[in-house]
Amino acid sequence: MRSYRLDAGTGLDGLRLDVSELPVPGPGEVLVEVRAASISYREAMILEGRYVLPVRDGGIPLAEGVGVVAAAGPDVSAPPVGARVVVAAFPRWQDGPFSLDVVDQIGGSLDGMLAEHVLLPATALVELPNDLADLTDAEAATLPVAGLTAWNALTGGRGTHRGDTVLTLGTGGVSLFAVQLASAMGARVIATTGNDERAGLLRELGADVVLNYRDNADWPAAVRAATGGRGADLVVDVAGTLESSLAAVALGGEIAVVGFVGGRPPATLDPYTIFTTGATLRPVAVGSRAQLAGLVRAVSAHRIRPVLDRIFPFDDAPQAFRHYLGGSALGKIVIAMAPNNERN
């Protein structure tokens, strides 16, 4: 089989094509024929050698993807051969809180999805139901990291309730999913962007209010103005702008701390500000397999269609990485191993 392998911290120079024997599944394992895989922000951190979790040199990259079960080892009863599946990024994190004993992750310390086939524990897989047959492989490939991170941010803590106000930041993959999912849950969504040309997409996905943070330097004040002074019940902070998020959150609300695409946050935060907001700061580490199954059910129930920027063929994987690193993408960048990635 063909796969790409990557040495962490070496940039794209460390990405290379490899050919190896097709693996044979052992007890509790399945062989998945990969259909499509997607690039997330974690890959940029791995390329630059600043990912927060262990990464094995020479491993197969990419944590999110979709495929079909091609073979099963002994003691595997489900999912069946032929089932279309997505893969939990942390295979041993089945449910409950995240802990260090389940820290091994696909595309990091374990081989990832940028291969024609991948060997996985059967317990890492979530089968896609028949009523998601119209979800293309490219769309389905974006669920296990970007989609699941947004789902965890919205449901893993205080939860999102009808009538809540949810604030999302920017137009990255997690934020676009968060807008769609929060809107489907009946929340009022306020979204920020630095580009007025992207405001239309945010509204189309379900945002009720769109704020341009470049035109509104004090965008937290604009969030409060849009909520009658109350602030947002839940902030999905992908940028690491925690001081601004604290200024925008409602009393007793929650900030889901997803990442820091805007750069490292200040070394210290004012404890007085945290105390007086009464807010909970909750780090989000993608999500468990149980949460991935919950996301799949929500995508099915609400007919969520992930936003795609561009699909690259497997042979052009390095160009896909370059396009992602260029920062101009709007939606997810997908690498397809199979041609059936057009919406039916």
Side-chain angles (χ1 to χ4, degrees), residues 218-268:
D218 190 3
W219 56 263
V223 171
R224 291 199 171 276
T227 55
R230 186 172 182 276
D233 298 289
L234 175 63
V235 182
V236 182
D237 189 336
V238 300
T241 55
L242 295 181
E243 289 182 330
S244 295
S245 292
L246 283 166
V249 72
L251 180 66
E254 180 177 295
I255 300 172
V257 184
V258 173
F260 35 87
V261 296
R264 290 289 294 272
T268 59

Side-chain angles (χ1 to χ4, degrees), residues 1-6 15-23 31-38 56 58-68 70 87 106-107 110-120 141 313-315 317 321 335-338:
M1 72 169 190
R2 296 186 304 161
S3 64
Y4 284 90
R5 295 188 176 271
L6 177 66
L15 184 68
R16 62 187 184 278
L17 188 64
D18 181 69
V19 180
S20 60
E21 293 292 326
L22 193 67
L31 182 67
V32 173
E33 179 187 345
V34 181
R35 293 282 185 82
S38 179
R56 178 169 62 87
I60 299 173
L62 299 191
E64 61 181 351
V66 64
V68 173
V87 183
I106 300 291
L110 305 173
D111 280 340
M113 301 298 292
L114 193 51
E116 292 174 327
H117 291 82
V118 60
L119 195 64
L120 295 163
F314 181 77
D315 290 339
F321 277 86
I335 298 167
M337 290 70 169

Side-chain angles (χ1 to χ4, degrees), residues 165-190:
T165 296
V166 172
L167 172 64
T168 66
L169 308 182
T171 52
V174 172
S175 296
L176 294 179
F177 265 112
V179 171
Q180 290 178 282
L181 291 166
S183 177
M185 294 175 194
R188 181 175 186 244
V189 180
I190 300 176

Side-chain angles (χ1 to χ4, degrees), residues 117-205:
H117 291 82
V118 60
L119 195 64
L120 295 163
T123 52
L125 306 180
V126 173
E127 185 174 352
L128 296 175
N130 290 334
D131 59 4
L132 282 181
D134 64 335
L135 198 71
T136 67
D137 291 332
E139 290 172 327
T142 70
L143 298 180
V145 174
L148 180 54
T149 300
W151 179 252
N152 188 355
L154 294 169
T155 67
R158 69 179 293 279
T160 300
H161 310 283
R162 183 169 295 277
D164 282 351
T165 296
V166 172
L167 172 64
T168 66
L169 308 182
T171 52
V174 172
S175 296
L176 294 179
F177 265 112
V179 171
Q180 290 178 282
L181 291 166
S183 177
M185 294 175 194
R188 181 175 186 244
V189 180
I190 300 176
T192 70
T193 178
N195 186 339
D196 283 334
E197 294 179 0
R198 300 187 172 189
L201 173 63
L202 289 167
R203 292 192 178 93
E204 179 183 331
L205 296 178

Side-chain angles (χ1 to χ4, degrees), residues 248-282:
V249 72
L251 180 66
E254 180 177 295
I255 300 172
V257 184
V258 173
F260 35 87
V261 296
R264 290 289 294 272
T268 59
L269 288 171
D270 181 6
Y272 179 82
T273 301
I274 298 174
F275 184 81
T276 54
T277 62
T280 298
L281 275 65
R282 187 177 71 90

